[in-house]
Amino acid sequence: MTENEPNARDIAAMDEAERAQWFYDNREQVAEESTPAVLDRAVPVRVSPDDLGLLTEAATAVGMKPSA
């Protein structure tokens, strides 16, 4: 971390647009310093047919499977 980089408190004080821009501008550094998530647990969830339709549409729109 350099002298000019914001700390966690600085980032938390930013509004949503400023924070989004900071993370976008620094995405490579953030990715290098992040710990990959370990997704090794499945959680069963019951949803209504209407909600399942919405989930399926949303997942398809971003190229994911509904189970993801």
Side-chain angles (χ1 to χ4, degrees):
M1 184 170 194
T2 66
E3 178 178 312
N4 295 332
E5 288 184 39
N7 60 31
R9 183 170 284 139
D10 296 333
I11 293 171
M14 295 176 184
D15 66 30
E16 186 174 354
E18 292 170 327
R19 192 168 30 254
Q21 187 64 51
W22 186 89
F23 277 103
Y24 180 80
D25 293 344
N26 296 280
R27 62 192 177 277
E28 291 178 10
Q29 177 186 347
V30 170
E32 288 175 6
E33 296 174 0
S34 297
T35 303
V38 177
L39 305 176
D40 61 351
R41 299 285 188 249
V43 180
V45 178
R46 292 182 186 268
V47 295
S48 70
D50 290 340
D51 287 344
L52 179 58
L54 292 171
L55 289 170
T56 302
E57 288 176 25
T60 302
V62 294
M64 296 174 70
K65 294 180 180 182
S67 60

